[in-house]
Amino acid sequence: MSHDTLAIIWFGLWGLIWTVYFILDGYSLGTGMLFPFIAKNRQERNQIQEAIGPFWGGNEVWLITAGGATFAAFPAVYADMFSFLYTPLFLVLIALFLRAAGLEFMHKDDNPTWQAACKWAFTIGSFLISLLFGVTFANLYRGLLIGKEGYEGNLLSLLNPYGLLGGLLFVALFLLSGSLWIQLKTAGDTAKRAAKLSRPIAGVAAALLALFFLATANRTPLTDNYADYPILWIVPFIALLAMLAAVRFVFRKKIGLAFTAVCITIFAKMAFGFIGMFPNMLPSKIDNAYSINLFDAAGSKLNLTIMFAVAVIFVPIVLGYQLWSYRIFKDKILKESAKGYQ
Amino acid sequence: MDEVLILSRIQFAVTVVYHFLFVPLTIGLVILVAVMETRFAKTGDRMYRKMADFWGKLFTINFVLGVITGITMEFQFGTNWSEYSKYMGDIFGSPLAIEALLAFFLESTFFGIWLFGKDKISPKLRAFSMWMVALGTNISALWIITANGFMQNPVGYVIRDGRAELESFTALITNPYAWHMFFHTVISCYIVGSFFVMAVSAYHLLRKNETPFFKKSFKYGLIMAVFAATATPFIGHQSGVFATKIQPAKGAALEAVWETQEKMPFHIVQFPDAENEKNSIEGLSIPRIGSFLYTNSFDGKVTGLKDIPADERPNVPLVFYSFRIMVALGIFFLLASWFGVYLYRKNKLENSRRYLKMMLYSVLLPYVAINVGWIVAEAGRQPWAVYGLMKTAEGVSPISLSQIIFSLGSLVLFYTILLVADVYLLMKFARKGPGTELATGTEGGVKHVS
Ligand code: HEM
């Protein structure tokens, strides 16, 4: 395999790892955002905690893997992406602290202030992670303010209307995913409340997705690749189709199918973005000459080969034991027996 | 730029020290909990179930903070050391990615299975899950230290297109420097874990609370401590001999050796005076032992700092005192654990109040030892980030002062809150003791089971 082919394969894997992260953590983040609105007493809080307890840590490791894989396969992207997006990244890190500590420490003390603080840390942390990642990826589609001297933007320049739209879209998709997950994993009042919320959220998510595609076509250079290869339009089309299917399934109470459709939506939406960016990884809004593309950023051939072999061997093993863990915890969690994080 | 560099270094130090307050207990305690789970699976004795639950709870509280503070580490090379990352990423990145793939998934998935699967899986599978978590934590240590080992002793690379590129993966993963560090670090984490278990047990033994339970727990800690504290001075010694060969400046700083000399004595009392490039006091000297400690030979030649250019020397007093503290503590751990064995053998443990008190108040000392140990290894390598290849000052990101002030300020704030919460919870549950297996309570008139 030539160095360039390997680099392209790694670009695909890079996109895939981020996508898997958003699909998986999407439901745990959504569950976190919905938590105070669905769990009304301690037993219900236990139920919701237990619905994501065995999984969310593994979901978050996909994010760490995304960081590590960026570092290993595209060192220059790792260096520039995270130093350019310095402030938002630290906000994400803090949000990750809040979510994890809030969730796991919530019931370790009976003091009501402690519990309220943990509850909101969990919820607000989940919200900020979703929003900020949405904003970040939308800005990648739009192009960052990379100039001759390096990065010229700041936090406020990321919070442009298109970026915010991308953030809200993530929030909506994850909320939907979370509300469906709660229905899949718990029984009783929590599931009923989640079902009530699913409907309006599904509508809002579908509207935001359509708006986002429109804005992307009008406001960003992302669709240039699509103009060159019109067949690629099938990807955003799948995203919309899956989204509409999700809405329909939500209203027809086919929760498992609705959840699957949301996962496909997130997958196709992310694929749409990565295909549009190709071969850039950090596109410049100022001038494409300053963009950082995958060929410039790629690691050495030996490094990419070894990392590829490691991925081919170990990703299936990881997926294997993660699936096993989903099987162990396949039963619905009941209010009477839920223990949560004790 | 200078302030940015200094603050970036402070931020790295803060984040890495916080991370290494939580991780060592994870690495040490997980093995003991896994052993307890295994004993339960084998014997079915409820005592072991109770032990695994009690110590497992403390493990759980601590574990999450190791994870949280670890995420910062994963991204921090990009945010704050972007020039370093560009130069080194081809080599430094892959161990980090492999660490995530091999270790973090294993740890987090099996931790979830262990924690929530209590009633769903057999005791055997529970024990297995805990061993998988233990395996994960140790693999994680191995890969991150492989990355650090490259910074200490760069191997298997070529400089091409203005960056270091991987030339031999085998050289990278068989780097002897990394393996020295790995064994020394992991075994010192076992000291942290075992002294933690002994301290909490001592607290309860002093109060005659659940004596059989805590005597047994103490014994488990003691066995691990004796093994780890006995091995540590030997491994540490070998580390020192090897480090001196690769990094003579760090080596010379360990004992503040200014003049190159053979048949060097060892000074039990010694105060370095860096300004005048000498030691202001050298006392209680033992002839030739210095040479032996450095070279494994009583005649060995030791390079002095004066033969190393002044701008390639580390902060000598910092390295020297850190090293002294580590070694002194190492000797203390050795004596304290063997004395514990003696008391246990004579069946005097639970009545030796002074010893138990000492063990209780020693709980923080292993934390001090591991952190000064890292100061020796890392400050001793300065001014280099990657020894001989890249100076720390060249690696920093071109970020603004306000950005670093924001990140450092918020990290210190949030980490401190987390640390306070962690210590509060650990003390609360450690004091409470094993108690009943499932507490129930009511909230707003609704009964709950946890
Ligand atoms: C008792 C005699 C000891 C000796 C002779 C010794 C020696 C050393 C040396 C030479 C280094 C620097 C290695 C390098 O930079 O390459 C080091 C580092 C370190 N030491 Fe020790 N040490 C001792 C005890 C301890 C104890 C008791 C602990 C903790 C409980 C500890 C924890 C560490 C750690 C965490 C490091 C940093 C990692 C590493 O470089 O291996 N050491 N030690």
Side-chain angles (χ1 to χ4, degrees), chain A residues 16-32 51-52 55-63 65 99 129-130 170 173-175 177-178 181 259 262-264 266-267 270 315 318-319 322-323 325-326, chain B residues 105 108-109:
Chain A
L16 189 64
I17 296 171
W18 280 107
T19 306
V20 172
Y21 168 65
F22 290 128
I23 291 176
L24 290 178
D25 213 12
Y27 77 73
S28 18
L29 291 168
T31 303
I52 57 167
F55 314 116
W56 75 272
N59 296 348
E60 195 175 274
V61 176
W62 285 98
L63 171 63
T65 308
R99 161 172 80 156
I129 300 166
S130 315
F170 261 28
L173 286 173
F174 295 174
L175 278 171
S177 179
W181 185 256
F259 183 76
V262 176
C263 294
I264 296 173
I266 297 175
F267 181 89
M270 295 304 294
V315 169
V318 169
L319 292 178
Q322 290 208 329
L323 282 177
S325 116
Y326 279 92
Chain B
F105 279 120
S108 56
T109 310

Side-chain angles (χ1 to χ4, degrees), chain A residues 33-44:
Chain A
M33 288 189 272
L34 291 170
F35 186 78
F37 310 106
I38 287 195
K40 297 292 179 200
N41 54 49
R42 180 147 175 173
Q43 265 317 109
E44 291 178 358

